[in-house]
Amino acid sequence: MKTKHLFSLMLASVVGATISLAEPAPQMPIAPTEQIGGTVSMYLLNPRGEVDGLLLTDGTQVKFPPHMSADLTSWVKPNEPITAQGLREVAPVFTAFTISNASGQALNEARPIRPPPPPDLSVNFTPMQAHGKIRVVLHAPRGEVEGAVLWDGTIVRIAPHVSARFSTLFQPGAAIFAKGYGTQNEFGRALEATEIGANGQAVTAIYGTTAPSLPR
């Protein structure tokens, strides 16, 4: 299918853009670490089904490495209090280095034992669609929009470098319709949008009008 290949290219381009932006990087002042506390409202998933953060009841979005998804989901549960130590570059996003659960047990960010492999573009993503009103707009650590949580719990992701085109759509309370590819599991439902629009109106292709396909 053509659209699946587009999703593969989109994943690869995001990774490539991240690498290119990382070399060389300008020297930036180191922000002081801080500690926050709150109650977990829900897990935040990426389209691969990995939990890469927590949404707290006060709206704080706590980021945590996706390769630690299994540890995080066994450590903390929705409706339980947590404390987190880390950095806040832009409200409401908090990048956690350590997350402590209700029992006071601390889970520390750990680097992978070996460098992470490139994205597995052969993963059999499921064609998905979602519609509804936005509960929370999701942001990248520097403030760019990277998606939304709908009121039914579905997470719609969009690459930060293209999200500015759809800034009027990504507002709390706005009704949207999205089509794309993703995953649904015991932790939630998330998709990477390839087409998006206001609910009840025509959708716009995010990555161009020609849609190549993901490997099966």
Side-chain angles (χ1 to χ4, degrees):
M1 294 174 58
K2 290 185 176 180
T3 305
K4 286 189 172 183
H5 183 56
L6 173 61
F7 187 61
S8 299
L9 294 178
M10 178 271 298
L11 280 177
S13 68
V14 169
V15 173
T18 301
I19 293 172
S20 65
L21 287 173
E23 48 181 49
Q27 294 296 321
M28 300 293 290
I30 299 175
T33 61
E34 62 176 288
Q35 181 172 294
I36 64 168
T39 301
V40 177
S41 174
M42 63 180 287
Y43 295 127
L44 295 177
L45 276 73
N46 62 29
R48 307 177 74 83
E50 301 163 319
V51 173
D52 62 1
L54 306 167
L55 178 65
L56 305 187
T57 54
D58 66 359
T60 300
Q61 299 162 31
V62 179
K63 303 283 188 180
F64 210 62
H67 72 269
M68 298 191 69
S69 175
D71 297 305
L72 184 60
T73 54
S74 65
W75 213 257
V76 299
K77 306 293 182 186
N79 303 315
E80 293 183 354
I82 60 108
T83 57
Q85 187 82 22
L87 298 174
R88 188 193 300 275
E89 293 189 66
V90 177
V93 182
F94 187 86
T95 301
F97 305 147
T98 301
I99 295 178
S100 300
N101 60 19
S103 301
Q105 298 171 306
L107 176 63
N108 296 314
E109 175 189 0
R111 293 181 179 274
I113 296 174
R114 56 183 62 86
D120 180 4
L121 301 181
S122 66
V123 170
N124 188 21
F125 290 95
T126 301
M128 297 173 70
Q129 62 184 37
H131 62 89
K133 290 187 176 181
I134 292 176
R135 172 187 170 192
V136 174
V137 177
L138 298 176
H139 296 271
R142 295 190 178 182
E144 311 97 316
V145 170
E146 66 173 9
V149 178
L150 305 187
W151 274 103
D152 68 357
T154 300
I155 296 171
V156 177
R157 297 278 191 166
I158 185 171
H161 70 279
V162 298
S163 64
R165 292 170 48 202
F166 304 94
S167 58
T168 57
L169 283 178
F170 284 90
Q171 303 292 332
I176 64 170
F177 175 77
K179 297 175 68 176
Y181 291 84
T183 307
Q184 181 169 346
N185 58 29
E186 66 269 36
F187 304 120
R189 183 173 186 261
L191 64 95
E192 183 81 22
T194 56
E195 299 174 74
I196 199 163
N199 201 12
Q201 299 182 22
V203 295
T204 299
I206 295 174
Y207 302 100
T209 56
T210 303
S213 66
L214 255 181
R216 298 177 182 175

